[in-house]
Amino acid sequence: MVRTLQTFGFAPQSFVLTISSTPEVIQFAPFEAAVQQLGLFGINADDSPFDAGRVESISRQFDPAGMMGVSAQTLEGLQMIGHDPETVFRGRVIWARPDAWKAVSRMKGVTARRCILIGPALGFGCSQGQVHLDRWEWDVRSEQGELVLSSRLNRFEPLSGLRTGVMGVVSSMVCSCGNADTVVEIND
């Protein structure tokens, strides 16, 4: 995930907010480790409409360069407490989940990128907008339009041929961001 995150060239000691739920900790942990490895500071909020006030407060107080995991719940919560999500997100990279992608991608002044849970893996958009998966950790293929995942690493519980329920294809393109990790094209 370091390779994908570094395509943005965030200044050292910039803040990056991760918005996730407790059951998603395992998927988002590698992203948070990448944030630290690049000399950035990570901050967390819960993926819940009830923690949207914290998202807005972090936005105002810490001026994060990016926010990973923005969902429809985040958008709903911000609106419920009287904040315009476009204003909160302006000037930042916002990695939006599928349920928030359309709304975030239309916001002016926001660098909208996708983030998507593909089984146990987190795929997210680079600076050029392509969704990458770590090629050293994951083997991903498309079967009848569905992404199927296998782990290349030794695991306590082997993972092979996991049907993820995510519709997409593995791209053969080389991304212009310079990251050679696997590119997946998500079907909306």
Side-chain angles (χ1 to χ4, degrees):
M1 293 196 175
V2 168
R3 291 182 297 276
T4 303
L5 188 57
Q6 71 185 5
T7 67
F8 291 93
F10 294 140
Q13 300 184 349
S14 294
F15 287 88
V16 177
L17 171 64
T18 301
I19 304 167
S20 63
S21 66
T22 302
E24 298 170 333
V25 167
I26 195 69
Q27 286 104 330
F28 284 90
F31 177 81
E32 292 174 345
V35 165
Q36 292 175 356
Q37 288 175 35
L38 290 174
L40 307 171
F41 295 115
I43 304 176
N44 298 77
D46 291 329
D47 182 25
S48 158
F50 308 109
D51 212 21
R54 190 153 146 213
V55 170
E56 187 280 332
S57 177
I58 289 168
S59 173
R60 197 170 13 86
Q61 293 180 41
F62 295 96
D63 192 24
M67 296 182 180
M68 167 61 79
V70 169
S71 70
Q73 293 188 97
T74 308
L75 300 177
E76 174 190 334
L78 286 168
Q79 292 167 343
M80 279 184 345
I81 59 176
H83 294 287
D84 174 28
E86 188 172 309
T87 301
V88 173
F89 299 155
R90 189 170 292 126
R92 306 175 204 295
V93 175
I94 303 297
W95 289 281
R97 296 170 186 257
D99 64 355
W101 171 247
K102 286 182 183 175
V104 172
S105 66
R106 286 183 236 158
M107 293 179 182
K108 291 184 172 119
V110 172
T111 302
R113 296 293 181 260
R114 293 178 184 267
C115 78
I116 186 161
L117 296 176
I118 304 171
L122 173 65
F124 66 99
C126 67
S127 62
Q128 300 303 304
Q130 302 301 322
V131 175
H132 292 271
L133 279 180
D134 185 328
R135 71 186 185 279
W136 300 110
E137 184 172 1
W138 301 109
D139 175 47
V140 62
R141 64 186 186 280
S142 183
E143 292 181 6
Q144 290 127 10
E146 179 182 8
L147 296 176
V148 178
L149 200 63
S150 296
S151 175
R152 295 180 188 274
L153 304 177
N154 290 328
R155 295 185 180 272
F156 178 75
E157 190 69 33
L159 181 83
S160 180
L162 175 69
R163 300 190 75 78
T164 64
V166 176
M167 304 308 287
V169 296
V170 178
S171 175
S172 60
M173 75 170 283
V174 175
C175 187
S176 60
C177 77
N179 181 357
D181 282 333
T182 305
V183 173
V184 292
E185 297 174 9
I186 305 302
N187 299 337
D188 291 323

